[in-house]
Amino acid sequence: MSGITSGTGLFSGIDTASLISQLLAIEARPKVLAQSRILQLKSQQAAYLDLNTKVSALKSAAAAFRTSSIFQANKATSSATGVLSATASATAIPGAYTFIVDRLVSTQQLLSRGFADATTTGLNAGAFTFESAAARLDRETSLADLNGGEGIKRGKIVITETTSGKVTTVDLSRAGTVSDVLDAINSSGAAVSASVDGGRLVIASTASDTIAIANGFGHETATSLGIAAASPAATVTGSQVYRLGTATALGALNDGNGVFVSSLGGAGRYDFRIVVDGATTVNMNIGAITSGGGTVTSPPPTTLDGVIQRINSELETALGTQDVKAAIAPDGVSLRLVDAQGRTLEVLENPTTTGSSTARDLGLLTAAPQTGTVAGTRILAGMNSTLARTLNGGQGVAGDGQVSITARDGSVHAVTLDTAGSLHAMLAAIGTQTGGKITAALNRAGTGILLTDTTGGTSNLIVSGATAASLGIDTVAEGVAAATVDSGNLQHQYLTMGTTLASLRSGQGIGTGVFRITDSTGATQTVNLGSGDKTVEDLVRLVNSRGLLVKARVNDKGDGILLYEDGASGSLKIKVEDVTGTVAANLNIKGEAAGAGPQNIIDGTSERTVAFAPGDTLTAMVTKINAAGLGVSAAIINDGSGSTPFHLSLTARGTGSAGRFVVDPGTFDLGATTLDRGQDARVFFGSADPATAVLLSSSRNTMDQVVSGVSIDLTSTSATPVTLTIARDTSAVESALNTFISAFNTLSDRIGQQTRYDQESKAKGPLLGESTALQIRAKLYSTIQGKAVGVSGPFQGLADIGIKVGSGGRLELDRDRLRVALEQDYQAVADLVSARVQEPAGTTTVAPGVTVTNTEPTFSKLGVASQIENMAEAFINSVTGTLTRRGKTLTDQIELQTKRIADFDIRLANRRTILTRQFIAMEQAIGQLQTQGQALAGMSQLIRR
């Protein structure tokens, strides 16, 4: 017999499977209870997770008053949004500000002469050279830089022509540069011609008349321009108004290159040194002065007066007397050092700082000790001019200043040039000293000199001398059979070690990122340029610290970074590639050197040349220019008229004056006309009268930080003033309070749902009777109806500003009451809601010599929302939070019940096995009994027979 083979016993006929299941079901009652308990625990766990989410939302809503500075939020409102709009940050100062948008930014655009077709005819254009307009030698002078940095008083001047009696009023209220003044006078209709001579304005009659210049009524403009002249004269030569002064910005010196100050800090830093009497060396620090702990105690000076004071202070401290002093020289364009004792003075650069040029930039660098006085070199050019020493990449003009010129009429002229002066003074000297037979002016590109022989002679024009060679105007020994000599690009320096990286690429900056350098041996290093790297010096120092053969410096043209190899080199070409960002590409150093040896360099010059094949059409030229990655976009304009309707249009990619460019087409006749020279946006701030307003300019249609914390966008111009009102953003406060109230009510409602009991349906919430949930609700209401801690003022509770508990325990906001409270005392409302002043951690003495630091934060001031934030944190803190701990308890209980069920399953499985065996044994016994019975019955029948 094999036992039980189905649910019913073969011998007994008993449904053993059902019987065993019923027996096990009785024994499994505790398991069912455990399963039911798990369902209950999980329901509570889900409910608490839900509450955790709602408490977290309430905490975020409460913390927003602090983290988002809701009560510091400001709103900017423009009286003419079609003219300007603005956004105000939390730091903006509330008030009303007046603006006149006089001019929006424009973009430089050139248009070439016409061509017959765009796609067929090769133009044999040769090559075009493009560069930033900073390479020009006729820099614009801002009126703000006149009168020693004090600027001028804009307004009106009156020009009277004596003989005719004609009176012309010239309105200079909107002038921002010396060129604006010249243009306004020359286009005024008066018979005069305005020009500049060094630091002076010159107004000359063009009608063989005498003129008088006076201030317009109520203005002082002519006086501040130095041209007020009551006595009539044929030519009014003004006083020197472009001169150094105490307010002269360092950034305005040296053609806008400023004064180099190393960004290196720390104790003992200095920028240059002065040696007195060959014995006492005084280190001059015009950078940041720091304390022993590295805290900046005195920032770098930004004006010439600040530098002079720093120098004199250092000298007095070191020498104990004021005998050696720095001052502005009588010429008004240089500095000088004077020793009252007549000792020798020597000024030297800091030899430990790579590329240091501070003493040179201040014009005080000496080649040898000077007795008694160091007469500085010129550091301020004439108006609309450049310094001769910024030519040739900053190397200046070589030679002794002597230039020999043989005019085409055979006359010979010895010209003496001041190579330490301004370029335009040298140009004027050539015309003056040759009696006008040779004139000198800027060439077509504005980057060099053009000599013109006016004699009409037929001999060769000959120019010679070391200075002429340095100026690019020397000829071969036999001269040239032409009336002109063009120097080509004289490489005006506009990039120095002190140039800010943010000013590169027409003010777009070069960004941050990582680039990789490979030297000629194959060694590689990455250079990580971060937001803390501000100047070219920082960049050069980073590259030079990589331990490669490759080093960096400012190139010989003074317009970019040069990578070269210092020391023995390998056979590979220098290579630079961007890893992250586009820093290398923006610096024009991405790529590979041209070759080995002297060619194994990468020159990041801003001067870029685009070469054209003889057969390149106008369309091909446009394609090549655009592919060169210049700051210029090329296009073809078809004017639809005449036989040459196609024009090459060149447009700056950058806007305003910062985006201007120069193009030198070489010998090709481009015939370019300036459609737009690229003007900065011009805005007058603070007054309805431009004459008394502050003149603002920008190379974009944005004005940031004119009003602290306010960003202004310009949309159109307006002749009438626009009022920009900065006020507290009460709508943001109201919105944040509504969010807070909503989060509070949501949490309160959810607690009510989770702890509910419906008398009629007998339905229960999963957290009915749960003390933790009830504790949260009790604390919520006690806090929300409580008072702010440590806050004085008219408002002590939220009910005072219109927030109260309404029907159903829900918070309600009375908007009218809130607005009245905000108008009554804005700060008191802010303190009531969001005050949060934490006290420093203190210590408690628990035993003699034993102290314990108090880790729990304490607050001297705590607004109601801040209290709610702290309360919420106490509930949901990931380690110590009440909900966190309760959640852990539930998880532990679920795990315990799950383990009990697993144990029950094992016990029941064992019990099933036992019962099954017992029933099998019973069936076997029954089967044996049946067999025995059958045997006995058979025997009985045999006996009967």
Side-chain angles (χ1 to χ4, degrees):
M1 293 294 211
S2 61
I4 298 173
T5 59
S6 67
T8 303
L10 294 177
F11 303 108
S12 65
I14 299 173
D15 186 355
T16 55
S18 176
L19 184 58
I20 290 174
S21 294
Q22 292 176 29
L23 292 171
L24 291 178
I26 295 172
E27 295 190 33
R29 287 174 182 173
K31 174 184 175 182
V32 174
L33 292 176
Q35 289 173 329
S36 176
R37 180 58 176 159
I38 285 177
L39 291 175
Q40 181 186 21
L41 291 172
K42 286 187 175 181
S43 176
Q44 291 179 346
Q45 188 180 54
Y48 275 122
L49 285 174
D50 180 50
L51 290 187
N52 191 298
T53 301
K54 301 302 182 291
V55 172
S56 179
L58 178 61
K59 178 189 174 185
S60 297
F65 293 102
R66 172 176 56 86
T67 58
S68 300
S69 303
I70 296 297
F71 281 98
Q72 283 72 50
N74 292 302
K75 179 170 61 176
T77 304
S78 171
S79 63
T81 54
V83 177
L84 66 83
S85 58
T87 55
S89 70
T91 61
I93 306 300
Y97 306 92
T98 301
F99 297 88
I100 299 174
V101 182
D102 185 60
R103 183 175 68 199
L104 294 180
V105 74
S106 64
T107 303
Q108 181 184 3
Q109 183 178 10
L110 305 181
L111 195 67
S112 75
R113 64 180 175 87
F115 298 94
D117 65 81
T119 59
T120 305
T121 307
L123 300 179
N124 194 25
F128 289 3
T129 300
F130 296 86
E131 191 171 7
S132 164
R136 289 188 63 92
L137 304 178
D138 54 351
R139 299 179 63 251
E140 278 194 350
T141 301
S142 171
L143 295 180
D145 291 333
L146 302 187
N147 296 307
E150 298 290 345
I152 72 161
K153 296 180 180 179
R154 297 190 315 279
K156 297 177 181 179
I157 66 172
V158 178
I159 302 174
T160 301
E161 299 170 48
T162 308
T163 302
S164 66
K166 181 180 179 182
V167 177
T168 304
T169 298
V170 183
D171 189 354
L172 300 176
S173 299
R174 298 170 185 263
T177 65
V178 170
S179 295
D180 290 339
V181 171
L182 299 179
D183 291 344
I185 294 175
N186 290 332
S187 63
S188 67
V192 296
S193 173
S195 60
V196 295
D197 180 15
R200 296 173 170 81
L201 287 171
V202 179
I203 315 297
S205 171
T206 58
S208 301
D209 200 351
T210 57
I211 57 174
I213 304 175
N215 294 310
F217 179 76
H219 300 281
E220 300 177 50
T221 310
T223 300
S224 64
L225 285 170
I227 55 175
S231 300
T235 299
V236 175
T237 300
S239 59
Q240 185 180 7
V241 291
Y242 190 43
R243 62 179 187 274
L244 298 175
T246 56
T248 297
L250 296 184
L253 304 179
N254 300 305
D255 296 351
N257 288 320
V259 175
F260 171 72
V261 178
S262 175
S263 59
L264 290 173
R269 80 166 302 284
Y270 70 98
D271 298 289
F272 66 100
R273 50 189 178 172
I274 299 174
V275 182
V276 181
D277 204 23
T280 303
T281 299
V282 185
N283 292 335
M284 295 294 160
N285 176 14
I286 61 171
I289 296 177
T290 58
S291 64
T295 302
V296 175
T297 57
S298 180
T302 58
T303 65
L304 195 57
D305 183 56
V307 170
I308 291 173
Q309 289 190 32
R310 187 75 71 85
I311 293 173
N312 290 338
S313 175
E314 298 278 5
L315 286 168
E316 182 180 359
T317 300
L319 302 174
T321 69
Q322 295 183 352
D323 288 341
V324 182
K325 298 187 74 173
I328 296 173
D331 63 9
V333 294
S334 63
L335 300 178
R336 68 176 181 178
L337 283 173
V338 178
D339 182 8
Q341 297 184 33
R343 294 168 293 186
T344 61
L345 300 172
E346 188 174 14
V347 184
L348 305 170
E349 301 287 7
N350 181 348
T352 65
T353 302
T354 302
S356 178
S357 62
T358 309
R360 180 177 184 270
D361 293 342
L362 290 171
L364 295 174
L365 184 65
T366 57
Q370 306 293 305
T371 302
T373 300
V374 173
T377 56
R378 187 170 188 141
I379 55 177
L380 192 71
M383 288 189 284
N384 291 356
S385 185
T386 53
L387 292 170
R389 68 185 185 87
T390 61
L391 302 180
N392 295 312
Q395 298 303 308
V397 180
D400 57 5
Q402 301 302 311
V403 176
S404 175
I405 302 177
T406 301
R408 300 194 74 187
D409 66 353
S411 59
V412 179
H413 308 274
V415 177
T416 301
L417 303 179
D418 179 9
T419 58
S422 74
L423 174 66
H424 284 66
M426 291 197 298
L427 300 184
I430 292 174
T432 300
Q433 295 179 39
T434 61
K437 290 188 175 183
I438 304 295
T439 63
L442 296 185
N443 62 10
R444 180 175 53 179
T447 58
I449 298 172
L450 181 70
L451 293 185
T452 302
D453 186 311
T454 65
T455 64
T458 57
S459 300
N460 282 358
L461 174 61
I462 305 171
V463 186
S464 62
T467 297
S470 183
L471 288 171
I473 54 175
D474 63 322
T475 64
V476 292
E478 63 274 18
V480 294
T484 60
V485 174
D486 192 330
S487 70
N489 194 330
L490 286 180
Q491 305 301 339
H492 177 232
Q493 182 184 31
Y494 53 88
L495 186 142
T496 69
M497 291 285 277
T499 300
T500 61
L501 300 177
S503 68
L504 302 181
R505 298 178 62 238
S506 300
Q508 300 178 67
I510 60 172
T512 59
V514 179
F515 60 92
R516 182 184 297 109
I517 301 176
T518 304
D519 69 17
S520 62
T521 67
T524 65
Q525 285 288 340
T526 57
V527 178
N528 187 350
L529 191 73
S531 58
D533 301 308
K534 304 294 186 184
T535 65
V536 169
E537 181 202 12
D538 294 333
L539 171 66
V540 168
R541 190 186 307 116
L542 272 176
V543 173
N544 293 347
S545 68
R546 298 299 86 189
L548 296 173
L549 292 176
V550 175
K551 303 298 179 186
R553 64 174 175 83
V554 175
N555 66 8
D556 293 339
K557 294 179 179 179
D559 67 354
I561 301 297
L562 178 74
L563 298 182
Y564 65 100
E565 288 208 311
D566 185 20
S569 60
S571 58
L572 302 177
K573 297 177 183 178
I574 295 174
K575 183 179 179 181
V576 179
E577 52 195 329
D578 279 310
V579 178
T580 62
T582 57
V583 171
N586 291 338
L587 286 168
N588 297 329
I589 59 173
K590 179 182 178 180
E592 198 172 60
Q599 291 184 310
N600 204 7
I601 61 172
I602 295 179
D603 190 345
T605 177
S606 297
E607 184 180 326
R608 309 290 292 278
T609 298
V610 180
F612 307 110
D616 281 346
T617 62
L618 194 59
T619 299
M621 290 172 62
V622 167
T623 300
K624 287 188 175 182
I625 292 172
N626 290 333
L630 309 172
V632 178
S633 294
I636 296 174
I637 303 296
N638 183 352
D639 64 21
S641 63
S643 59
T644 56
F646 297 97
H647 304 264
L648 174 64
S649 170
L650 298 174
T651 305
R653 293 185 185 274
T655 56
S657 60
R660 291 175 186 166
F661 64 92
V662 292
V663 55
D664 185 353
T667 58
F668 181 72
D669 179 18
L670 186 61
T673 300
T674 300
L675 300 183
D676 194 319
R677 62 191 302 264
Q679 299 277 31
D680 289 340
R682 186 164 62 192
V683 176
F684 295 98
F685 166 66
S687 174
D689 181 3
T692 57
V694 177
L695 172 60
L696 309 172
S697 61
S698 172
S699 283
R700 296 180 178 86
N701 283 326
T702 56
M703 296 278 178
D704 294 335
Q705 302 303 319
V706 170
V707 178
S708 179
V710 179
S711 179
I712 300 171
D713 294 316
L714 309 178
T715 307
S716 65
T717 61
S718 174
T720 57
V722 176
T723 300
L724 183 64
T725 304
I726 309 299
R728 293 298 187 191
D729 190 357
T730 57
S731 62
V733 173
E734 187 173 321
S735 175
L737 285 173
N738 279 325
T739 300
F740 173 74
I741 289 171
S742 176
F744 182 94
N745 289 337
T746 299
L747 174 58
S748 177
D749 291 346
R750 193 56 55 91
I751 294 175
Q753 293 174 10
Q754 303 288 17
T755 59
R756 75 189 183 282
Y757 177 73
D758 190 314
Q759 188 69 32
E760 294 183 2
S761 65
K762 310 299 182 183
K764 301 176 182 179
L767 301 182
L768 177 65
E770 275 284 307
S771 61
T772 300
L774 297 174
Q775 177 189 12
I776 292 174
R777 188 168 191 175
K779 285 191 175 182
L780 270 177
Y781 282 97
S782 65
T783 303
I784 207 69
Q785 296 179 92
K787 294 183 177 181
V789 175
V791 172
S792 60
F795 312 124
Q796 294 296 303
L798 293 182
D800 295 338
I801 62 171
I803 301 175
K804 61 181 181 179
V805 179
S807 61
R810 294 174 62 82
L811 286 188
E812 298 174 350
L813 173 63
D814 183 340
R815 289 182 173 83
D816 293 336
R817 179 71 188 90
L818 172 64
R819 290 167 184 171
V820 169
L822 289 169
E823 290 178 4
Q824 178 183 343
D825 194 332
Y826 189 92
Q827 189 57 48
V829 175
D831 290 342
L832 167 66
V833 175
S834 62
R836 190 181 186 88
V837 179
Q838 185 172 345
E839 294 299 300
T843 57
T844 302
T845 301
V846 295
V850 179
T851 59
V852 176
T853 300
N854 301 323
T855 57
E856 288 297 321
T858 58
F859 299 87
S860 58
K861 288 186 178 182
L862 205 60
V864 177
S866 296
Q867 293 177 41
I868 291 288
E869 179 186 353
N870 289 354
M871 182 204 71
E873 172 62 19
F875 284 130
I876 64 174
N877 183 278
S878 60
V879 177
T880 61
T882 303
L883 286 173
T884 303
R885 293 198 305 268
R886 181 57 181 147
K888 186 177 184 306
T889 298
L890 290 172
T891 299
D892 292 342
Q893 291 179 353
I894 291 171
E895 290 177 352
L896 177 62
Q897 294 299 328
T898 302
K899 186 176 183 305
R900 288 184 63 199
I901 290 172
D903 291 341
F904 272 121
D905 286 340
I906 294 172
R907 288 169 55 191
L908 290 173
N910 291 336
R911 184 62 177 153
R912 180 181 291 277
T913 300
I914 293 171
L915 289 173
T916 300
R917 288 175 179 172
Q918 288 175 344
F919 276 105
I920 290 173
M922 182 190 73
E923 288 294 328
Q924 289 175 339
I926 292 173
Q928 289 175 353
L929 288 175
Q930 288 180 348
T931 301
Q932 291 174 358
Q934 291 174 353
L936 288 174
M939 292 175 61
S940 176
Q941 290 177 358
L942 289 172
I943 292 171
R944 289 192 193 102
R945 291 178 185 174

